[in-house]
Amino acid sequence: MVKNSRQSTLLAPSLLAGNHGALAASADSVSALGLKWLHVDIMDGHFVPNLSFGPATVAALRQAGNKLFFDTHLMLSEPQHYIEAFAKAGSNLISVHIEPDYDHRGILAKIRQLGCQCGIVLNPGTPADAVEHLLDQVDLVLVMTVQPGFGGQSFQPQMLAKIAQLNDWRQQSGHTWRLEVDGGIDLQHAKECFDAGADTFVAGTAFFKAPDRADFARCIEQFAI
Ligand code: DX5
Ligand code: ZN
């Protein structure tokens, strides 16, 4: 069957696995390969047990002249308070988790009003049904393939069924949101996720530690329907 609501394959390297003492250089090394997206993980030490970057970091990367599409993954208990700051800082897409209790519809709409694309994220323990009512309102659905909070964890293969379920709904509805996967993504797991319907691949450790990053990127972006 031709999967025609699926988007072109994209790699989004995760800055979390870059050099935290030289983030602008890490981001520049991604653009130098001709890649278009950069995944930026924002953690609050509450929704996830770790801290990472804030809006000032995103603004500084943008001010340093980086033109990458900033795919900003907010792992925050109260994302509603930070949307505006990340939009102003230069994020292109802002994703928020479904699990915390806030006005999901309102926040997704606000992200768009601020001129960004919007995404909804599911933790490994959250079923696809939890986001079904929001699928007419998003530009991206992010399926976490590890428990969020840290890079370098092992891919959870049980997530493939959730990816396939979301892809089926996308085909049936004709929606064109991207289906992104994040956590433990190397070439093998990326291919499994691609076969299940994913089109957008976050890779931190596997990308930044690859012996040949250009080759890693080529291998991912060559996946074709
Ligand atoms: C985990 C983050 C991921 C992380 C992925 O909480 O959301 O984006 O950077 O790192 P790897 O690819 O090393 O699992
Ligand atoms: Zn992430």
Side-chain angles (χ1 to χ4, degrees):
M1 185 181 85
V2 179
K3 301 189 169 183
N4 54 9
S5 9
R6 189 155 159 171
Q7 302 295 301
S8 55
T9 305
L10 257 183
L11 170 64
S14 172
L15 190 62
L16 192 68
N19 178 350
H20 287 231
L23 289 172
S26 288
D28 287 348
S29 74
V30 171
S31 10
L33 294 177
L35 297 171
K36 303 283 183 253
W37 278 39
L38 184 71
H39 185 79
V40 185
D41 286 305
I42 311 296
M43 305 181 183
D44 65 354
H46 187 261
F47 179 68
V48 291
N50 197 5
L51 297 163
S52 57
F53 319 120
T57 316
V58 176
L61 289 171
R62 195 54 96 203
Q63 278 154 20
N66 199 292
K67 304 258 189 310
L68 287 164
F69 183 97
F70 289 163
D71 166 28
T72 313
H73 174 193
L74 300 189
M75 285 162 271
L76 309 177
S77 293
E78 299 193 344
Q80 66 273 25
H81 303 311
Y82 302 95
I83 299 303
E84 208 161 332
F86 282 101
K88 276 197 187 135
S91 291
N92 300 94
L93 183 148
I94 299 177
S95 293
V96 288
H97 274 257
I98 187 69
E99 294 83 10
D101 184 21
Y102 60 92
D103 172 14
H104 300 98
R105 272 200 185 280
I107 291 305
L108 291 167
K110 182 167 175 195
I111 292 171
R112 282 198 174 153
Q113 278 160 21
L114 290 165
C116 298
Q117 295 183 29
C118 66
I120 193 77
V121 194
L122 302 89
N123 275 344
T126 304
D129 303 20
V131 299
E132 197 176 357
H133 64 295
L134 298 172
L135 295 179
D136 59 346
Q137 218 198 318
V138 293
D139 300 292
L140 177 142
V141 176
L142 169 52
V143 174
M144 289 307 302
T145 44
V146 300
Q147 188 61 27
F150 299 91
Q153 303 182 73
S154 299
F155 176 80
Q156 298 187 15
Q158 317 87 283
M159 296 307 112
L160 292 169
K162 192 193 298 187
I163 296 162
Q165 169 73 82
L166 285 159
N167 185 47
D168 278 353
W169 288 343
R170 179 171 56 172
Q171 299 311 320
Q172 286 158 19
S173 64
H175 288 151
T176 54
W177 32 265
R178 286 189 164 277
L179 182 45
E180 184 176 55
V181 288
D182 180 10
I185 299 293
D186 57 13
L187 289 179
Q188 182 198 325
H189 297 310
K191 181 65 167 64
E192 290 162 5
C193 292
F194 174 81
D195 290 341
D199 48 48
T200 307
F201 302 86
V202 176
T205 310
F207 173 79
F208 279 100
K209 291 210 159 63
D212 183 341
R213 291 179 191 167
D215 187 57
F216 181 90
R218 242 189 327 271
C219 287
I220 297 258
E221 297 205 336
Q222 268 170 6
F223 296 159
I225 303 158

